[in-house]
Amino acid sequence: MVMHELGLLTAVVEAILQAADTASASKVNEVSLKVGTLSGAVPEALYGAWPIATDRTICEDAQLRLNVIPATVYCSKCRQNVTIDEFFALLCPVCATPTGQLATGREFEIEWVEWDCPDTVGAPAAGTDTGSMLATTNTSKLD
């Protein structure tokens, strides 16, 4: 099971390294991923594979945070998203109306990354600026 998650995290680390290189980041401190419960990724396996995926990179000591997104479907009768489990039978679990309109749960994406950037504009002698990459804002986006 960890092999699948290792492949996913290897792609995540590669994307982060590209963005960090563009930002001249020297170290990645923290990474947050959105992981849907129906994404196929197992949180425990992601945590286990993280040290392997980040080995000998600027992400090596970074903390991994997972924002687990529950699976929901939109029910036209209830007029809302309703949480489902892995045994979902194409019926709204609240009112039994047929629905297959998955609203959330398949996510697997970088939510944000925090990194250190060298001081480039005569700021205080601390030597580093903490920067970040936000996948959901236009500050710095990863695709």
Side-chain angles (χ1 to χ4, degrees), residues 60-134:
E60 187 168 32
D61 295 321
Q63 182 176 3
L64 177 64
R65 294 191 185 276
L66 301 180
N67 180 6
V68 178
I69 308 296
T72 63
V73 291
Y74 179 77
C75 175
S76 59
K77 186 173 182 183
C78 295
R79 294 185 182 190
Q80 65 181 349
N81 290 343
V82 182
T83 302
I84 59 171
D85 63 19
E86 68 271 16
F87 304 110
F88 176 61
L90 299 177
L91 298 174
C92 172
V94 175
C95 70
T97 298
T99 183
Q101 191 174 348
L102 190 63
T104 64
R106 289 193 180 147
E107 298 84 354
F108 187 84
E109 59 192 56
I110 298 169
E111 187 169 30
W112 54 263
V113 174
E114 180 185 282
W115 55 48
D116 291 340
C117 293
D119 184 7
T120 56
V121 185
T128 59
D129 235 352
T130 299
S132 66
M133 172 185 69
L134 302 174

Side-chain angles (χ1 to χ4, degrees), residues 24-44:
S24 299
S26 57
K27 179 183 176 195
V28 174
N29 300 313
E30 200 167 349
V31 174
S32 179
L33 303 178
K34 283 186 182 180
V35 180
T37 56
L38 297 179
S39 68
V42 178
E44 294 79 10

Side-chain angles (χ1 to χ4, degrees), residues 3-27:
M3 290 303 290
H4 169 70
E5 282 75 5
L6 181 57
L8 292 172
L9 289 176
T10 298
V12 165
V13 169
E14 288 173 7
I16 292 169
L17 293 176
Q18 285 181 343
D21 184 53
T22 300
S24 299
S26 57
K27 179 183 176 195

